[in-house]
Coordinates of all heavy atoms in Angstrom, one line a residue:
M149 N 0.8 -1.2 0.0 CA 0.0 0.0 0.0 C 0.9 1.2 0.0 O 1.9 1.3 0.6 CB -0.9 0.0 1.2 CG -1.8 1.2 1.2 SD -3.3 1.1 2.2 CE -4.0 -0.4 1.8
M150 N 0.4 2.3 -0.7 CA 1.2 3.5 -0.8 C 1.1 4.2 0.6 O 0.1 4.2 1.2 CB 0.6 4.4 -1.9 CG 0.7 3.9 -3.2 SD 0.0 5.0 -4.6 CE -1.0 6.2 -3.8
P151 N 2.2 4.9 0.9 CA 2.1 5.7 2.2 C 1.2 6.9 2.0 O 0.9 7.3 0.8 CB 3.6 6.2 2.4 CG 4.2 6.1 1.0 CD 3.5 5.0 0.3
P152 N 0.7 7.5 3.1 CA -0.3 8.6 2.9 C 0.3 9.8 2.2 O 1.4 10.2 2.6 CB -0.7 8.9 4.4 CG -0.1 7.8 5.2 CD 0.9 7.1 4.4
S153 N -0.4 10.3 1.3 CA -0.1 11.6 0.6 C -1.4 12.1 0.1 O -2.1 11.4 -0.8 CB 0.9 11.3 -0.5 OG 1.1 12.5 -1.2
C154 N -1.9 13.3 0.5 CA -3.2 13.8 0.1 C -3.2 14.0 -1.4 O -2.3 14.6 -2.0 CB -3.4 15.1 0.8 SG -5.0 15.9 0.3
A155 N -4.3 13.5 -2.0 CA -4.5 13.6 -3.5 C -4.7 15.0 -3.9 O -4.5 15.3 -5.1 CB -5.6 12.7 -3.9
M156 N -5.1 15.9 -3.0 CA -5.4 17.3 -3.4 C -4.2 18.2 -3.2 O -3.8 19.0 -4.0 CB -6.6 17.8 -2.6 CG -7.9 17.1 -2.9 SD -8.3 17.0 -4.6 CE -8.3 18.7 -5.1
C157 N -3.6 18.1 -2.0 CA -2.5 19.1 -1.7 C -1.1 18.5 -1.6 O -0.2 19.2 -1.3 CB -2.9 19.8 -0.4 SG -2.9 18.8 1.1
R158 N -1.1 17.2 -1.7 CA 0.2 16.4 -1.6 C 0.9 16.5 -0.3 O 2.1 16.2 -0.1 CB 1.2 16.8 -2.7 CG 0.7 16.6 -4.1 CD 0.6 15.1 -4.3 NE 0.0 14.9 -5.7 CZ -0.7 13.8 -6.0 NH1 -1.1 13.0 -5.0 NH2 -1.2 13.7 -7.2
A159 N 0.1 16.8 0.8 CA 0.7 16.7 2.1 C 1.0 15.3 2.4 O 0.3 14.4 1.9 CB -0.4 17.2 3.2
S160 N 2.1 15.0 3.1 CA 2.6 13.7 3.3 C 3.0 13.4 4.7 O 2.8 14.3 5.6 CB 3.8 13.4 2.4 OG 4.9 14.2 2.8
R161 N 3.5 12.2 5.0 CA 3.9 11.8 6.4 C 5.0 12.7 6.9 O 5.1 12.9 8.1 CB 4.3 10.4 6.4 CG 3.3 9.3 6.4 CD 2.5 9.2 7.6 NE 3.3 9.1 8.9 CZ 3.7 8.0 9.4 NH1 3.5 6.9 8.8 NH2 4.4 8.1 10.5
G162 N 5.8 13.3 6.0 CA 6.8 14.2 6.4 C 6.2 15.5 7.0 O 6.9 16.3 7.7
D163 N 5.0 15.9 6.6 CA 4.3 17.1 7.0 C 3.4 16.9 8.2 O 3.3 17.8 9.0 CB 3.5 17.7 5.8 CG 4.3 17.9 4.5 OD1 5.4 18.4 4.6 OD2 3.8 17.5 3.5
H164 N 2.8 15.7 8.3 CA 1.8 15.5 9.3 C 1.9 14.1 9.8 O 2.4 13.2 9.1 CB 0.4 15.7 8.7 CG 0.2 17.1 8.2 ND1 0.0 18.2 9.0 CD2 0.1 17.5 6.9 CE1 -0.2 19.3 8.2 NE2 -0.1 18.9 6.9
P165 N 1.3 13.8 11.0 CA 1.3 12.4 11.5 C 0.3 11.6 10.7 O -0.5 12.1 10.0 CB 0.8 12.6 13.0 CG 0.1 13.9 13.0 CD 0.8 14.8 12.0
F166 N 0.5 10.3 10.9 CA -0.3 9.3 10.1 C -1.8 9.5 10.3 O -2.6 9.4 9.4 CB 0.1 7.9 10.5 CG -0.6 6.8 9.7 CD1 -0.1 6.5 8.4 CD2 -1.7 6.2 10.2 CE1 -0.8 5.5 7.7 CE2 -2.4 5.2 9.4 CZ -1.9 4.9 8.2
D167 N -2.2 9.8 11.6 CA -3.7 9.9 11.8 C -4.3 11.2 11.2 O -5.5 11.4 11.3 CB -4.0 9.9 13.3 CG -3.3 11.0 14.1 OD1 -2.4 11.7 13.6 OD2 -3.6 11.1 15.3
F168 N -3.5 12.0 10.6 CA -4.0 13.2 9.9 C -4.6 12.8 8.5 O -5.3 13.6 7.9 CB -2.9 14.2 9.7 CG -3.3 15.5 9.1 CD1 -3.9 16.5 9.8 CD2 -2.9 15.9 7.8 CE1 -4.3 17.7 9.3 CE2 -3.3 17.1 7.2 CZ -4.0 18.0 8.0
F169 N -4.4 11.6 8.1 CA -4.8 11.1 6.7 C -5.9 10.1 6.8 O -6.0 9.3 7.8 CB -3.6 10.6 6.0 CG -2.5 11.5 5.8 CD1 -1.5 11.6 6.7 CD2 -2.5 12.4 4.7 CE1 -0.4 12.6 6.5 CE2 -1.5 13.4 4.5 CZ -0.5 13.4 5.4
T170 N -6.8 10.0 5.8 CA -7.8 9.1 5.7 C -7.8 8.4 4.4 O -7.7 9.1 3.4 CB -9.2 9.7 5.9 OG1 -9.2 10.4 7.2 CG2 -10.3 8.7 5.9
L171 N -7.9 7.1 4.3 CA -7.9 6.4 3.1 C -9.4 6.2 2.7 O -10.2 5.6 3.4 CB -7.3 5.0 3.2 CG -7.1 4.2 2.0 CD1 -6.2 5.0 0.9 CD2 -6.5 2.9 2.3
V172 N -9.8 6.8 1.6 CA -11.2 6.8 1.1 C -11.3 5.8 0.0 O -10.6 5.8 -1.0 CB -11.7 8.2 0.7 CG1 -13.1 8.1 0.2 CG2 -11.5 9.2 1.8
Y173 N -12.3 4.9 0.1 CA -12.6 3.9 -0.9 C -13.7 4.3 -1.8 O -14.8 4.6 -1.3 CB -12.9 2.5 -0.3 CG -11.7 1.9 0.3 CD1 -11.3 2.1 1.6 CD2 -10.9 1.0 -0.4 CE1 -10.2 1.5 2.2 CE2 -9.8 0.4 0.2 CZ -9.4 0.7 1.5 OH -8.3 0.1 2.0
F174 N -13.5 4.4 -3.1 CA -14.5 4.7 -4.1 C -15.0 3.5 -4.7 O -14.5 2.4 -4.4 CB -13.9 5.7 -5.1 CG -13.6 7.0 -4.5 CD1 -12.3 7.3 -4.1 CD2 -14.5 8.0 -4.3 CE1 -11.9 8.5 -3.5 CE2 -14.2 9.2 -3.7 CZ -12.9 9.5 -3.3
R175 N -16.0 3.6 -5.6 CA -16.6 2.4 -6.3 C -15.5 1.7 -7.1 O -14.7 2.3 -7.9 CB -17.7 2.9 -7.2 CG -18.4 1.7 -7.9 CD -19.6 2.2 -8.8 NE -19.2 3.2 -9.7 CZ -18.8 3.0 -11.0 NH1 -18.8 1.8 -11.5 NH2 -18.5 4.0 -11.8
R176 N -15.5 0.4 -7.0 CA -14.5 -0.4 -7.7 C -15.0 -0.5 -9.1 O -16.1 -0.7 -9.4 CB -14.5 -1.8 -7.1 CG -13.5 -2.7 -7.6 CD -13.4 -4.1 -7.0 NE -13.1 -4.0 -5.6 CZ -11.9 -3.9 -5.0 NH1 -10.9 -3.9 -5.8 NH2 -11.7 -3.9 -3.7
I177 N -14.0 -0.4 -10.1 CA -14.4 -0.5 -11.5 C -13.7 -1.7 -12.1 O -14.1 -2.0 -13.3 CB -13.9 0.8 -12.3 CG1 -12.4 1.1 -12.1 CG2 -14.7 2.0 -11.8 CD1 -11.9 2.2 -12.9
E178 N -12.9 -2.4 -11.4 CA -12.2 -3.6 -11.9 C -12.4 -4.7 -10.8 O -12.4 -4.3 -9.7 CB -10.8 -3.4 -12.3 CG -10.6 -2.4 -13.4 CD -9.1 -2.2 -13.7 OE1 -8.2 -2.9 -13.1 OE2 -8.8 -1.4 -14.5
P179 N -12.4 -5.9 -11.2 CA -12.4 -7.0 -10.2 C -11.2 -7.0 -9.4 O -10.1 -6.6 -9.9 CB -12.6 -8.2 -11.0 CG -12.2 -7.9 -12.4 CD -12.4 -6.4 -12.6
P180 N -11.3 -7.3 -8.1 CA -10.0 -7.3 -7.3 C -9.0 -8.4 -7.8 O -9.4 -9.4 -8.3 CB -10.6 -7.7 -5.9 CG -11.9 -8.3 -6.1 CD -12.4 -7.8 -7.4
T181 N -7.8 -8.1 -7.6 CA -6.7 -9.0 -8.0 C -6.1 -9.6 -6.8 O -6.3 -9.1 -5.6 CB -5.6 -8.2 -8.8 OG1 -5.1 -7.2 -8.0 CG2 -6.2 -7.6 -10.1
D182 N -5.4 -10.7 -6.9 CA -4.7 -11.4 -5.8 C -3.3 -10.8 -5.5 O -2.6 -11.3 -4.7 CB -4.6 -12.9 -6.1 CG -6.0 -13.5 -6.1 OD1 -6.9 -13.0 -5.5 OD2 -6.1 -14.6 -6.8
R183 N -3.0 -9.7 -6.2 CA -1.6 -9.2 -5.9 C -1.7 -8.2 -4.8 O -2.7 -7.5 -4.5 CB -1.1 -8.5 -7.2 CG -1.8 -7.3 -7.6 CD -1.2 -6.6 -8.9 NE -2.0 -5.5 -9.3 CZ -1.9 -4.3 -8.8 NH1 -1.1 -4.0 -7.8 NH2 -2.7 -3.3 -9.2
D184 N -0.5 -8.0 -4.1 CA -0.4 -7.0 -3.1 C -0.2 -5.7 -3.7 O 0.2 -5.5 -4.8 CB 0.8 -7.4 -2.2 CG 0.6 -8.6 -1.4 OD1 -0.6 -8.9 -1.1 OD2 1.5 -9.3 -1.0
G185 N -0.5 -4.6 -3.0 CA -0.3 -3.3 -3.4 C -1.4 -2.4 -3.0 O -2.3 -2.8 -2.3
H186 N -1.4 -1.2 -3.5 CA -2.5 -0.2 -3.2 C -3.7 -0.5 -4.1 O -3.6 -0.6 -5.3 CB -1.9 1.2 -3.5 CG -2.8 2.3 -2.9 ND1 -2.7 2.6 -1.6 CD2 -3.7 3.1 -3.5 CE1 -3.6 3.6 -1.4 NE2 -4.2 3.9 -2.5
P187 N -4.9 -0.5 -3.4 CA -6.1 -0.7 -4.2 C -6.4 0.4 -5.2 O -6.1 1.6 -4.9 CB -7.2 -0.8 -3.1 CG -6.5 -0.9 -1.9 CD -5.1 -0.4 -2.0
Q188 N -6.8 0.1 -6.4 CA -7.0 1.1 -7.4 C -8.2 2.1 -7.0 O -8.2 3.2 -7.5 CB -7.4 0.5 -8.7 CG -6.2 -0.2 -9.3 CD -6.5 -0.8 -10.7 OE1 -7.7 -0.9 -11.1 NE2 -5.5 -1.3 -11.4
N189 N -9.1 1.7 -6.2 CA -10.2 2.5 -5.9 C -10.0 3.2 -4.5 O -11.0 3.9 -4.0 CB -11.5 1.7 -5.8 CG -11.4 0.6 -4.7 OD1 -10.4 0.0 -4.5 ND2 -12.6 0.4 -4.1
A190 N -8.8 3.2 -4.0 CA -8.6 3.9 -2.7 C -7.6 5.1 -2.9 O -6.6 5.0 -3.6 CB -8.0 2.9 -1.7
V191 N -8.0 6.2 -2.2 CA -7.2 7.4 -2.4 C -7.0 8.0 -1.0 O -8.0 8.1 -0.2 CB -7.9 8.4 -3.3 CG1 -7.1 9.7 -3.5 CG2 -8.3 7.8 -4.7
W192 N -5.8 8.5 -0.7 CA -5.5 9.2 0.5 C -5.9 10.7 0.5 O -5.7 11.3 -0.5 CB -4.0 9.2 0.8 CG -3.5 7.8 1.3 CD1 -2.8 7.0 0.5 CD2 -3.6 7.2 2.6 NE1 -2.4 5.9 1.3 CE2 -3.0 6.0 2.5 CE3 -4.3 7.6 3.7 CZ2 -2.9 5.1 3.6 CZ3 -4.2 6.7 4.8 CH2 -3.6 5.5 4.8
F193 N -6.5 11.2 1.6 CA -6.9 12.6 1.7 C -6.4 13.0 3.1 O -6.5 12.3 4.1 CB -8.4 12.8 1.6 CG -8.9 12.6 0.2 CD1 -9.3 11.4 -0.2 CD2 -8.8 13.6 -0.7 CE1 -9.8 11.2 -1.5 CE2 -9.2 13.5 -2.0 CZ -9.7 12.2 -2.4
C194 N -6.0 14.3 3.2 CA -5.6 14.9 4.5 C -6.9 15.3 5.2 O -8.0 15.3 4.6 CB -4.7 16.1 4.3 SG -5.4 17.5 3.6
A195 N -6.8 15.7 6.5 CA -7.9 16.1 7.3 C -8.6 17.3 6.7 O -9.8 17.5 6.9 CB -7.5 16.3 8.7
D196 N -7.9 18.2 6.0 CA -8.4 19.4 5.4 C -9.3 19.1 4.2 O -10.2 19.8 3.9 CB -7.3 20.4 5.0 CG -6.5 20.8 6.2 OD1 -7.1 20.9 7.3 OD2 -5.4 21.2 6.0
H197 N -9.0 18.0 3.5 CA -9.7 17.8 2.2 C -10.7 16.5 2.3 O -11.4 16.4 1.3 CB -8.7 17.6 1.1 CG -8.0 18.8 0.8 ND1 -6.6 19.0 1.0 CD2 -8.4 20.0 0.3 CE1 -6.3 20.2 0.6 NE2 -7.3 20.9 0.3
V198 N -10.6 15.7 3.3 CA -11.5 14.5 3.3 C -12.9 14.9 3.4 O -13.8 14.1 2.8 CB -11.1 13.6 4.5 CG1 -11.5 14.2 5.9 CG2 -11.6 12.2 4.3
R199 N -13.3 16.1 3.8 CA -14.7 16.4 3.9 C -15.3 16.6 2.5 O -16.5 16.4 2.3 CB -14.9 17.7 4.7 CG -14.3 18.9 4.0 CD -14.4 20.2 5.0 NE -13.6 21.3 4.5 CZ -14.1 22.3 3.9 NH1 -15.4 22.4 3.7 NH2 -13.3 23.3 3.5
F200 N -14.5 16.8 1.5 CA -15.0 17.0 0.1 C -15.3 15.7 -0.5 O -15.9 15.6 -1.6 CB -13.9 17.7 -0.7 CG -13.7 19.2 -0.3 CD1 -12.6 19.5 0.4 CD2 -14.7 20.1 -0.6 CE1 -12.4 20.8 0.8 CE2 -14.5 21.5 -0.2 CZ -13.4 21.8 0.5
T201 N -15.0 14.5 0.1 CA -15.3 13.2 -0.4 C -16.6 12.7 -0.1 O -17.1 11.8 -0.6 CB -14.2 12.2 0.0 OG1 -14.3 12.0 1.4 CG2 -12.8 12.6 -0.3
E202 N -17.3 13.4 0.9 CA -18.6 12.9 1.4 C -19.6 13.0 0.2 O -19.7 13.9 -0.5 CB -19.1 13.8 2.5 CG -18.3 13.7 3.8 CD -18.7 14.6 4.8 OE1 -19.7 15.3 4.7 OE2 -18.0 14.7 5.9
G203 N -20.3 11.9 0.1 CA -21.3 11.7 -1.0 C -20.8 11.4 -2.3 O -21.5 11.4 -3.3
K204 N -19.5 11.1 -2.4 CA -18.9 10.8 -3.7 C -18.3 9.4 -3.8 O -17.7 9.0 -4.8 CB -17.8 11.8 -4.0 CG -18.4 13.2 -4.2 CD -17.4 14.3 -4.4 CE -17.9 15.6 -4.5 NZ -18.6 16.1 -3.4
T205 N -18.5 8.6 -2.8 CA -17.8 7.3 -2.8 C -18.6 6.3 -3.7 O -18.0 5.2 -4.0 CB -17.8 6.7 -1.3 OG1 -19.1 6.7 -0.8 CG2 -16.8 7.5 -0.5
H206 N -19.7 6.6 -4.2 CA -20.4 5.8 -5.1 C -19.8 5.9 -6.5 O -20.1 5.1 -7.4 CB -21.9 6.1 -5.1 CG -22.2 7.4 -5.7 ND1 -22.1 8.6 -4.9 CD2 -22.7 7.8 -6.9 CE1 -22.4 9.6 -5.7 NE2 -22.8 9.2 -6.9
M207 N -19.0 6.9 -6.8 CA -18.4 7.2 -8.1 C -17.1 6.4 -8.1 O -16.5 6.0 -7.1 CB -18.1 8.7 -8.2 CG -19.3 9.6 -8.1 SD -18.7 11.3 -8.2 CE -20.2 12.2 -7.9
S208 N -16.6 6.3 -9.3 CA -15.2 5.8 -9.5 C -14.2 6.8 -9.0 O -14.6 8.0 -8.9 CB -14.9 5.4 -10.9 OG -14.8 6.6 -11.7
A209 N -13.0 6.4 -8.6 CA -12.1 7.3 -8.0 C -11.7 8.5 -9.1 O -11.6 9.6 -8.7 CB -10.8 6.6 -7.7
M210 N -11.7 8.1 -10.3 CA -11.3 9.1 -11.3 C -12.4 10.2 -11.5 O -12.1 11.4 -11.5 CB -11.1 8.5 -12.7 CG -10.6 9.4 -13.7 SD -10.3 8.6 -15.4 CE -9.1 7.4 -15.0
V211 N -13.7 9.8 -11.5 CA -14.8 10.7 -11.7 C -14.9 11.5 -10.4 O -15.1 12.7 -10.4 CB -16.1 10.0 -12.0 CG1 -17.3 10.9 -11.9 CG2 -16.0 9.3 -13.3
A212 N -14.8 10.9 -9.2 CA -14.9 11.6 -7.9 C -13.8 12.6 -7.8 O -14.1 13.7 -7.3 CB -14.8 10.6 -6.8
M213 N -12.6 12.4 -8.3 CA -11.5 13.4 -8.2 C -11.9 14.6 -9.0 O -11.5 15.7 -8.5 CB -10.2 12.8 -8.6 CG -9.6 11.8 -7.7 SD -9.3 12.5 -6.0 CE -8.1 13.7 -6.4
V214 N -12.5 14.5 -10.1 CA -12.9 15.7 -10.9 C -13.9 16.5 -10.0 O -13.7 17.7 -9.9 CB -13.6 15.3 -12.2 CG1 -14.2 16.4 -12.9 CG2 -12.6 14.6 -13.1
H215 N -14.9 15.9 -9.4 CA -15.9 16.6 -8.6 C -15.2 17.2 -7.3 O -15.6 18.3 -6.9 CB -17.0 15.7 -8.2 CG -17.9 15.3 -9.4 ND1 -19.0 16.1 -9.7 CD2 -17.8 14.3 -10.2 CE1 -19.5 15.5 -10.8 NE2 -18.9 14.4 -11.1
I216 N -14.3 16.4 -6.7 CA -13.6 16.9 -5.5 C -12.8 18.1 -5.8 O -12.8 19.1 -5.1 CB -12.8 15.8 -4.9 CG1 -13.8 14.7 -4.3 CG2 -11.9 16.3 -3.7 CD1 -13.1 13.4 -4.0
R217 N -12.0 18.1 -6.9 CA -11.2 19.2 -7.3 C -12.0 20.5 -7.5 O -11.6 21.6 -7.1 CB -10.3 18.9 -8.5 CG -9.2 18.0 -8.3 CD -8.4 17.8 -9.6 NE -7.7 16.6 -9.6 CZ -6.6 16.3 -8.9 NH1 -6.1 17.2 -8.1 NH2 -6.0 15.1 -9.0
A218 N -13.2 20.3 -8.2 CA -14.0 21.5 -8.4 C -14.6 22.0 -7.1 O -14.7 23.2 -6.9 CB -15.2 21.0 -9.3
A219 N -15.0 21.1 -6.2 CA -15.5 21.6 -4.9 C -14.4 22.3 -4.1 O -14.7 23.3 -3.4 CB -16.0 20.4 -4.1
V220 N -13.2 21.8 -4.1 CA -12.1 22.5 -3.4 C -11.8 23.9 -4.0 O -11.6 24.8 -3.3 CB -10.8 21.6 -3.5 CG1 -9.6 22.4 -3.0 CG2 -11.0 20.4 -2.6
R221 N -11.9 24.0 -5.3 CA -11.7 25.3 -6.0 C -12.8 26.3 -5.6 O -12.5 27.4 -5.3 CB -11.7 25.1 -7.5 CG -10.3 24.8 -8.0 CD -10.3 24.9 -9.6 NE -9.6 23.8 -10.1 CZ -10.2 22.8 -10.7 NH1 -11.5 22.8 -11.0 NH2 -9.5 21.8 -11.2
R222 N -14.0 25.8 -5.5 CA -15.2 26.6 -5.1 C -15.1 27.1 -3.7 O -15.5 28.2 -3.3 CB -16.5 25.9 -5.3 CG -16.9 25.9 -6.8 CD -18.4 25.4 -6.9 NE -18.6 24.1 -6.3 CZ -18.5 22.9 -6.8 NH1 -18.2 22.8 -8.1 NH2 -18.8 21.8 -6.2
A223 N -14.5 26.3 -2.8 CA -14.4 26.6 -1.4 C -13.2 27.5 -1.1 O -13.2 28.1 0.0 CB -14.2 25.3 -0.6
R224 N -12.3 27.8 -2.0 CA -11.2 28.7 -1.7 C -11.7 30.1 -1.7 O -12.7 30.5 -2.4 CB -10.2 28.6 -2.9 CG -9.3 27.4 -2.7 CD -8.1 27.5 -3.7 NE -8.7 27.4 -5.0 CZ -7.9 27.1 -6.1 NH1 -6.6 27.0 -6.0 NH2 -8.4 27.0 -7.3
P225 N -11.1 30.9 -0.8 CA -11.5 32.3 -0.8 C -11.2 33.0 -2.1 O -10.2 32.7 -2.8 CB -10.7 32.9 0.3 CG -9.7 31.9 0.8 CD -10.0 30.6 0.1
S226 N -12.1 33.9 -2.5 CA -11.9 34.7 -3.7 C -10.8 35.7 -3.6 O -10.6 36.3 -2.6 CB -13.2 35.4 -4.1 OG -13.0 36.2 -5.2
I227 N -10.0 35.8 -4.6 CA -8.9 36.8 -4.6 C -9.4 38.1 -5.0 O -8.7 39.1 -4.9 CB -7.7 36.4 -5.6 CG1 -8.2 36.2 -7.0 CG2 -7.1 35.1 -5.1 CD1 -7.1 36.1 -8.0
W228 N -10.7 38.2 -5.5 CA -11.3 39.5 -5.9 C -12.5 39.7 -5.0 O -13.6 39.5 -5.5 CB -11.6 39.5 -7.3 CG -10.5 39.2 -8.2 CD1 -10.1 38.1 -8.9 CD2 -9.4 40.2 -8.5 NE1 -9.0 38.2 -9.5 CE2 -8.5 39.5 -9.3 CE3 -9.2 41.5 -8.2 CZ2 -7.3 40.1 -9.8 CZ3 -8.0 42.1 -8.6 CH2 -7.1 41.4 -9.5
P229 N -12.4 40.1 -3.8 CA -13.6 40.3 -3.0 C -14.4 41.5 -3.5 O -13.9 42.4 -4.2 CB -13.0 40.7 -1.6 CG -11.6 41.1 -1.8 CD -11.2 40.4 -3.1
L230 N -15.7 41.4 -3.3 CA -16.6 42.5 -3.8 C -16.3 43.8 -3.3 O -16.6 44.8 -3.9 CB -18.1 42.1 -3.5 CG -18.6 40.9 -4.3 CD1 -20.0 40.6 -3.8 CD2 -18.6 41.1 -5.8
T231 N -15.7 43.9 -2.1 CA -15.3 45.2 -1.5 C -14.2 45.9 -2.2 O -14.0 47.1 -2.0 CB -15.0 45.0 0.0 OG1 -13.9 44.1 0.1 CG2 -16.2 44.5 0.8
S232 N -13.5 45.2 -3.1 CA -12.4 45.9 -3.8 C -12.8 46.6 -5.1 O -12.0 47.3 -5.7 CB -11.4 44.8 -4.2 OG -11.9 43.9 -5.2
I233 N -14.1 46.5 -5.4 CA -14.6 47.2 -6.6 C -14.8 48.7 -6.2 O -15.5 49.0 -5.2 CB -16.0 46.6 -7.1 CG1 -15.8 45.2 -7.5 CG2 -16.6 47.5 -8.2 CD1 -17.0 44.5 -7.8
P234 N -14.3 49.7 -7.0 CA -14.4 51.1 -6.6 C -15.8 51.6 -6.8 O -16.6 51.2 -7.4 CB -13.5 51.8 -7.6 CG -13.1 50.8 -8.7 CD -13.5 49.5 -8.2

């Protein structure tokens, strides 16, 4: 299995302790194999980004990542606040 590294911000074990990360399982798109390694439908997220995975685990990991990235972008503060308009 791959060590924890957030799929959104690339935070890793060098940045945070192990319990800062959550392994999220999305819908499996291929039958399981008998080989060891990281599951194809499992993705690591840090504590800051795991909330964006809620309600998306029924999707494949690839489709869910598109939706999660869009949600993270929408949640960022705007660099052009309305108060800056003259």
Side-chain angles (χ1 to χ4, degrees):
M149 181 158 314
M150 293 181 346
S153 177
C154 180
M156 296 308 303
C157 66
R158 297 295 178 212
S160 66
R161 284 287 311 272
D163 304 318
H164 303 284
F166 185 80
D167 61 349
F168 186 73
F169 299 93
T170 303
L171 187 61
V172 178
Y173 287 88
F174 294 97
R175 182 176 56 91
R176 186 178 298 277
I177 57 173
E178 294 180 5
T181 59
D182 292 336
R183 66 178 177 82
D184 291 335
H186 192 79
Q188 291 180 350
N189 62 322
V191 181
W192 286 106
F193 290 93
C194 69
D196 297 332
H197 293 117
V198 72
R199 66 186 170 104
F200 294 103
T201 66
E202 293 176 8
K204 295 174 181 65
T205 56
H206 67 283
M207 303 175 184
S208 69
M210 186 181 300
V211 172
M213 287 301 296
V214 171
H215 290 272
I216 293 166
R217 286 184 205 284
V220 168
R221 276 192 223 109
R222 284 191 304 269
R224 281 191 290 197
S226 174
I227 60 170
W228 302 103
L230 292 177
T231 58
S232 67
I233 298 173

